[in-house]
């Protein structure tokens, strides 16, 4: 089995260079990949450059953003990413990190950012960002990543798209897929079904429920359940 390992943010590195490196490594068709942001370790030449102001490591947000772009590149190519950032036990054991984007749950931050990017991209494509309520249905194991650390993703969606309510519900069977439900009014709901990194499949299901509690309509209009469906594919 062939594995590759990359370090991001070395002296002279840029996001564009890291993307090009990933593309060349993908051409090798490795079985697995590890991605590590560069950290400044004690008693190294890089530490001296850092102390002398010649080297500035990536910030935590920068490192998360870079990795959130690179990880899907590998996974879309069928390459398993088995490690993103140092493991928490490695950080505790070494305890020699001087500077750099270190976090005990760095990998979780990256995958949480990937989820946020996928969700916001879908919202933008469907022009549903002016609705009041958003419910995201995912697998139970994905709830914490979609919600974000300290509800960061939820807060971002509220602040940037003006949703008054954002809920993440773990009621789906498949990981890495999600269903988005937009609350427009009491009479109209739109549900989007999105699966996989390579293709985005969006299922529109418009549900109208007319009952006595909502509108005083004629009896023949009451308790209706009408669905209008269409499937759109993107990124084939």
């Amino acid at each position: 089995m062939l594995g590759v390992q990359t370090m991001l943010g070395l002296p002279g590195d840029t996001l564009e260079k890291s993307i090009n490196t990933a593309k060349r490594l993908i051409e090798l068709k490795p079985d697995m990949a590890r991605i590590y942001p560069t950290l400044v370790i004690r008693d190294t030449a890089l530490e001296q450059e850092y102390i002398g102001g010649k080297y500035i490591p990536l910030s935590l947000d920068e490192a998360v953003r870079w990795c959130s772009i690179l990880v899907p590149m590998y996974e879309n190519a069928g390459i398993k990413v088995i490690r993103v950032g140092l493991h928490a036990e490695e950080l505790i054991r070494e305890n020699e990190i001087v500077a750099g984007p270190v976090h005990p749950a760095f990998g979780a931050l990256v995958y949480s950012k990937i989820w946020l990017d996928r969700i916001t991209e879908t919202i933008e494509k469907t022009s549903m960002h002016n609705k009041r309520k958003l419910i995201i249905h995912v697998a139970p194991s994905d709830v914490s990543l979609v919600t974000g650390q300290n509800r960061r993703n939820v807060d971002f969606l509220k602040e940037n798209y003006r949703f008054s309510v954002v809920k993440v519900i773990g009621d789906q069977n498949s990981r890495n897929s999600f269903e988005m439900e937009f609350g427009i009014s009491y009479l109209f709901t739109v549900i989007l079904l999105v699966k996989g990194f390579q293709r985005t499949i969006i299922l529109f299901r418009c549900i109208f429920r007319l009952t006595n509690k909502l509108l005083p309509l004629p009896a023949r209009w009451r308790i209706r359940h009408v669905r209008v469906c269409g499937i759109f594919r993107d990124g084939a």
Side-chain angles (χ1 to χ4, degrees):
M1 299 181 70
L2 175 62
V4 296
Q5 177 173 309
T6 63
M7 292 186 67
L8 311 181
L10 286 166
D13 196 12
T14 64
L15 177 56
E16 183 179 2
K17 289 181 179 179
S18 290
I19 291 174
N20 289 334
T21 297
K23 290 179 179 178
R24 295 184 66 180
L25 291 175
I26 289 171
E27 291 176 356
L28 298 176
K29 299 181 179 180
D31 301 288
M32 64 190 73
R34 294 180 175 88
I35 304 174
Y36 295 105
T38 299
L39 303 177
V40 180
I41 307 299
R42 196 178 308 281
D43 298 328
T44 63
L46 192 59
E47 180 191 20
Q48 297 305 312
E49 291 193 16
Y50 170 72
I51 293 174
K54 297 180 180 179
Y55 172 71
I56 300 177
L58 296 175
S59 68
L60 180 60
D61 286 344
E62 287 175 326
V64 168
R65 183 170 66 88
W66 287 28
C67 289
S68 71
I69 294 171
L70 298 177
V71 168
M73 290 178 61
Y74 287 103
E75 294 188 344
N76 287 345
I79 301 166
K80 185 177 181 180
V81 179
I82 62 174
R83 182 65 60 83
V84 183
L86 289 175
H87 193 275
E89 294 179 356
E90 295 173 318
L91 300 179
I92 296 173
R93 184 176 65 250
E94 297 296 337
N95 195 28
E96 295 182 347
I97 299 172
V98 177
V102 59
H103 192 282
F106 183 81
L109 293 180
V110 171
Y111 281 99
S112 184
K113 179 63 166 62
I114 292 172
W115 270 109
L116 180 61
D117 290 343
R118 294 176 64 199
I119 291 168
T120 55
E121 181 182 3
T122 302
I123 293 173
E124 294 291 343
K125 285 183 177 180
T126 55
S127 300
M128 291 292 173
H129 50 275
N130 60 343
K131 310 311 174 188
R132 297 178 182 177
K133 182 178 181 181
L134 172 63
I135 301 177
I136 306 171
H137 302 271
V138 297
S141 57
D142 289 327
V143 169
S144 61
L145 293 178
V146 175
T147 303
Q149 189 178 52
N150 298 321
R151 297 182 61 81
R152 183 174 183 176
N153 288 357
V154 169
D155 292 341
F156 178 91
L157 293 171
K158 286 183 176 181
E159 293 172 7
N160 289 270
Y161 297 99
R162 298 183 180 180
F163 292 116
S164 58
V165 176
V166 176
K167 294 182 179 180
V168 182
I169 301 176
D171 58 0
Q172 299 294 298
N173 295 324
S174 301
R175 294 200 63 186
N176 293 327
S177 65
F178 64 101
E179 186 172 296
M180 300 176 67
E181 181 178 345
F182 295 88
I184 301 173
S185 70
Y186 290 106
L187 300 179
F188 187 47
T189 301
V190 177
I191 295 178
L192 307 178
L193 179 63
V194 182
K195 290 186 177 180
F197 284 112
Q198 295 184 24
R199 289 195 176 192
T200 302
I201 302 176
I202 304 176
L203 171 63
F204 288 87
R205 185 174 63 184
C206 305
I207 303 173
F208 299 83
R209 291 185 178 90
L210 308 180
T211 68
N212 265 331
K213 295 181 180 179
L214 297 179
L215 292 173
L217 299 175
R220 61 190 176 87
W221 283 8
R222 296 171 188 168
I223 313 178
R224 289 284 178 87
H225 191 180
V226 182
R227 297 181 181 180
V228 181
C229 300
I231 296 178
F232 299 82
R233 300 178 188 272
D234 179 48

